[in-house]
Amino acid sequence: MPDSPPAAYTIQSLARAEVRSLAPYNAGLSNEAVRRRYGVERIARLGSNENPIGPAPGVIEAVTQAARECALYPDAECQTLRAALSERLDIAPERLVFGNGSEDLIAILARVFLDHGDEVVTMVPAFGLHTLYPQSMGARVIGVPITAAGAIDVDGLLGAITPRTRLVMFSSPSNPVGSALSRAEIERLLAGLPPHLLLVFDEAYFEYGQLADDYPDVLALLEASRQPWVLLRTFSKAYSLAGFRVGYGIVSDPVLADLVDRVRTPFNVSRPAQAAAVAALEDQEHLTRSLANVATERARLSAALAAAGLRVYPSLGNFLFLALEREADAVGEALLSHGVIVKTWREPGFTHCLRVTVGSPADNALFFEALMQALDAPVRGSLADASH
Ligand SMILES: *Cc1c(COP(=O)(O)O)cnc(C)c1O
């Protein structure tokens, strides 16, 4: 559907129509911006699902070494990282793809597979880039709402598929809700998918999901199906490497990796990022400690919020999704004035919701107190002891 030509030439008119109509990504404010704007010193940074524990000590050493080699381009094939992951996952090296964060892989998949008029089926509320990157390619995104209980609606996803669907793409554990598909649901999804589309299963919160006894082995379930699929994971969350930008995908067929290679920039994972990921993988004890913080703090925080009468969705991620009885944006502003950064939701139907990262005990306490003040709620539960 070509737009009518603009009356006067503007810089915007040079851009593709799909790009002109894109909503900006809601990346949230930097700590500096919050300090400046609200005159607060202490910041509880709980808007981007970052890991308050930080990386394994070996990561800093590895990156320092890599910094000495910064005159050299990185390995375009990520061979050391590829070999390490191939062994850990028991997946052939040619079935791995790497990105400048897994978001890079989402963008690449959109460029490889989507054309004007194609359709993408995802869930609502959605991880923003599952929507924005397909739209930037001219695809139509069909969002299937979560169920009333906050579950990913398998039948809804299957029912939204048409002959024009190219990708079915969602996260499980889902961002922002935190719910995950069960083994039976994944089997039902795989059994119902027609063969003409690619399933992009975003498992960015895989390591957190594994804390739950009944969390399914998604990779094994996908391996058992004949559907073409990509399973996305990242070093940004549980491994604390968000600032380095490194994510990976496991693909059902090396042909998919070859297609990704044609479209990606050749050196898309920097030298320090590759070194950091290899070192992070080597320290599984550090990973275990950082997961333990989330398990303990998530339980405490969600119990306190529920005791204060708030609706908290059950979450397998390092975050909680809350449904308020009013628009979340005003509450988000009030939290910012206390130095607390959360992500208020902007998708229609969910503008009364906010997502808060499970942070350090002190940050969670600051969030809880600020939220109670912002909502003017009687504090029944308390996280007060957490600030010590
Ligand atoms: C955080 C996140 C990502 C992006 O991770 P990067 O590897 O940092 O790009 C992808 N998908 C979901 C669902 C996420 O929450």
Side-chain angles (χ1 to χ4, degrees):
M1 347 132 209
D3 287 5
S4 49
Y9 285 98
T10 61
I11 293 174
Q12 279 93 333
S13 72
L14 295 172
R16 293 189 298 118
E18 292 82 4
V19 174
R20 273 184 270 140
S21 60
L22 276 185
Y25 182 70
N26 173 15
L29 294 173
S30 68
N31 290 9
E32 291 66 36
V34 174
R35 281 202 188 93
R36 227 181 303 119
R37 201 184 294 178
Y38 298 90
V40 286
E41 217 11 76
R42 186 150 163 239
I43 305 281
R45 194 174 165 74
L46 304 174
S48 302
N49 296 347
E50 291 151 337
N51 186 335
I53 305 293
V59 166
I60 309 300
E61 273 169 54
V63 167
T64 308
Q65 177 60 33
R68 295 197 184 95
E69 296 156 357
C70 73
L72 307 175
Y73 282 101
D75 173 4
E77 306 300 328
C78 299
Q79 297 201 54
T80 309
L81 176 57
R82 184 181 297 271
L85 270 176
S86 164
E87 196 188 312
R88 174 169 298 277
L89 302 169
D90 194 19
I91 287 288
E94 62 273 18
R95 289 180 53 205
L96 295 170
V97 291
F98 296 91
N100 182 36
S102 56
E103 65 177 25
D104 183 29
L105 292 169
I106 300 168
I108 291 167
L109 291 169
R111 293 207 293 278
V112 170
F113 290 100
L114 298 177
D115 217 333
H116 219 273
D118 288 341
E119 292 176 0
V120 174
V121 172
T122 190
M123 57 175 273
V124 180
F127 177 58
L129 301 175
H130 290 170
T131 303
L132 282 174
Y133 288 145
Q135 286 172 339
S136 76
M137 297 308 299
R140 200 160 84 83
V141 178
I142 290 109
V144 176
I146 54 171
T147 69
I152 302 166
D153 182 355
V154 172
D155 297 317
L157 292 172
L158 289 173
I161 292 166
T162 76
R164 310 191 74 166
T165 309
R166 289 285 163 274
L167 304 180
V168 171
M169 175 158 65
F170 59 86
S171 52
S172 175
S174 85
N175 176 2
V177 181
S179 51
L181 292 177
S182 68
R183 180 194 169 100
E185 287 169 325
I186 295 172
E187 283 172 342
R188 194 146 53 85
L189 177 72
L190 289 168
L193 287 177
H196 71 268
L197 56 80
L198 178 72
L199 173 63
V200 182
F201 199 115
D202 187 340
E203 208 181 20
Y205 300 94
F206 157 68
E207 295 84 359
Y208 300 104
Q210 285 196 304
L211 288 170
D213 289 335
D214 56 351
Y215 187 73
D217 185 341
V218 178
L219 177 56
L221 292 169
L222 293 175
E223 284 284 64
S225 93
R226 277 199 245 128
Q227 195 68 29
W229 52 264
V230 178
L231 181 61
L232 295 177
R233 292 188 185 158
T234 180
F235 285 93
S236 295
K237 309 278 161 61
Y239 286 104
S240 294
L241 302 187
F244 281 122
R245 316 303 305 122
V246 49
Y248 64 98
I250 307 160
V251 297
S252 57
D253 188 306
V255 170
L256 284 162
D258 182 56
L259 290 166
V260 165
D261 279 345
R262 286 164 201 242
V263 165
R264 73 179 170 97
T265 58
F267 305 106
N268 60 338
V269 184
S270 77
R271 185 172 278 279
Q274 293 185 34
V278 170
L281 274 179
E282 278 167 7
D283 195 342
Q284 292 293 309
E285 276 173 34
H286 182 82
L287 175 70
T288 304
R289 279 193 296 277
S290 115
L291 296 178
N293 171 68
V294 168
T296 315
E297 283 299 302
R298 189 178 60 202
R300 268 157 46 81
L301 184 57
S302 75
L305 292 165
L310 290 170
R311 170 140 198 238
V312 189
Y313 289 93
S315 172
L316 292 187
N318 63 338
F319 53 85
L320 292 169
F321 199 53
L322 317 186
L324 308 174
E325 274 160 18
R326 61 181 89 168
E327 288 296 289
D329 257 344
V331 177
E333 270 299 310
L335 293 177
L336 283 172
S337 70
H338 289 91
V340 177
I341 308 174
V342 300
K343 190 146 180 165
T344 54
W345 222 254
R346 304 267 163 85
E347 282 175 289
F350 294 91
T351 55
H352 62 301
C353 295
L354 67 81
R355 190 195 69 200
V356 60
T357 304
V358 176
S360 67
D363 283 351
N364 298 336
L366 187 62
F367 160 72
F368 185 75
E369 282 154 31
L371 183 67
M372 292 302 111
Q373 277 193 37
L375 296 176
D376 210 8
V379 183
R380 269 166 277 165
S382 171
L383 270 180
D385 57 328
S387 53
H388 304 300

